[in-house]
Amino acid sequence: ITLVEGDPGTGKSFLTQAIAAAVSLGFCFPGDVPQEPQNVIIMSAEDGAGDTIRPRLEDMQAVLERIVLLRGMIDEKGNAAFLTLSDLDVIEKAIEQVNPALVIIDPIIAFTAGKDTHKASEVRSLLAPLAGLAEKHNVAVICVRHLNKSNSKYSYRGQGSIDFLAACRSAFLCGPDPENPELKVFCHIKSNVGPIMPSLSYSIANGQFVWGG
């Protein structure tokens, strides 16, 4: 599981959608070697499907047939219900049907099924089964988390317990470039399974996401 964190307004959702578009096209980050196009599942609780997510993906030339937006589920009585991480069997069924390389959960706090996200044990009880599911199906998972307004050290500013950060094997921070407010920076701040990658800049202007250097 990879965590992408940042203050509201830093374009975290747009950035993860740019990654989804790239995966659908067989690319990912600038400079990466092209690969086979693969499928993506997006679980979004904030951005609208028709007015935000699809237009962004279309602008980035994403292969829409490869990207599935998972918004909810239908119960035995035919009623629509919101999907949470407690419905891991439903998420697994979607993974089996779609065969994605990537699942995006945005924001993770919205899918915690009423758990106390300030308690380490409850956070671990959500993320451990999710990590197991990712390993079982060989799928990458990106979880988006907002930072709060605290003046604490960055590691303690994420919504909920610090165990969200501790439980993830890799984490990135999105924020403004201190030397150029027109740019934002995608900074790798934790890696348990490999080297820290160089930071990447990006910008969002007139509804367009553009990777920088």
Side-chain angles (χ1 to χ4, degrees):
I1 299 178
T2 293
L3 197 62
V4 172
E5 302 193 294
D7 286 320
T10 52
K12 300 182 297 299
S13 295
F14 211 152
L15 182 145
T16 59
Q17 291 156 15
I19 294 173
V23 171
S24 79
L25 290 162
F27 297 96
C28 195
F29 297 113
D32 279 356
V33 177
Q35 302 181 41
E36 285 295 317
Q38 299 192 70
N39 299 336
V40 181
I41 290 176
I42 298 177
M43 296 169 56
S44 175
E46 293 185 346
D47 288 335
D51 61 9
T52 302
I53 298 177
R54 184 182 178 114
R56 286 176 176 177
L57 294 173
E58 288 176 332
D59 285 344
M60 294 183 283
Q61 283 83 51
V63 181
L64 297 182
E65 292 79 7
R66 288 193 170 274
I67 301 176
V68 172
L69 189 60
L70 187 59
R71 298 306 292 261
M73 57 185 178
I74 305 297
D75 64 20
E76 295 83 356
K77 297 181 180 179
N79 299 316
F82 185 73
L83 192 65
T84 73
L85 292 180
S86 66
D87 304 303
L88 214 60
D89 57 330
V90 178
I91 297 172
E92 180 168 26
K93 185 175 291 186
I95 289 173
E96 290 171 346
Q97 292 176 353
V98 176
N99 189 30
L102 173 64
V103 174
I104 297 169
I105 303 174
D106 180 16
I108 183 70
I109 294 292
F111 295 91
T112 51
K115 297 279 188 179
D116 187 340
T117 57
H118 291 86
K119 288 185 176 180
S121 60
E122 298 205 23
V123 170
R124 297 281 181 163
S125 72
L126 283 170
L127 295 187
L130 180 63
L133 184 65
E135 184 173 11
K136 177 181 177 181
H137 293 280
N138 192 32
V139 59
V141 177
I142 293 177
C143 296
V144 177
R145 188 171 70 146
H146 299 309
L147 298 180
N148 58 39
K149 296 181 180 180
S150 166
N151 292 322
S152 304
K153 181 181 177 182
Y154 153 71
S155 301
Y156 295 91
R157 286 190 57 214
Q159 288 183 337
S161 167
I162 192 175
D163 277 80
F164 277 106
L165 180 60
C168 293
R169 301 299 83 196
S170 186
F172 292 82
L173 177 65
C174 297
D177 184 337
E179 298 180 358
N180 182 354
E182 298 299 316
L183 289 178
K184 295 179 173 59
V185 178
F186 184 56
C187 179
H188 200 187
I189 51 92
K190 176 187 176 180
S191 179
N192 289 56
V193 293
I196 295 288
M197 66 174 280
S199 297
L200 292 170
S201 64
Y202 64 96
S203 60
I204 299 172
N206 301 317
Q208 301 292 317
F209 182 97
V210 180
W211 286 112

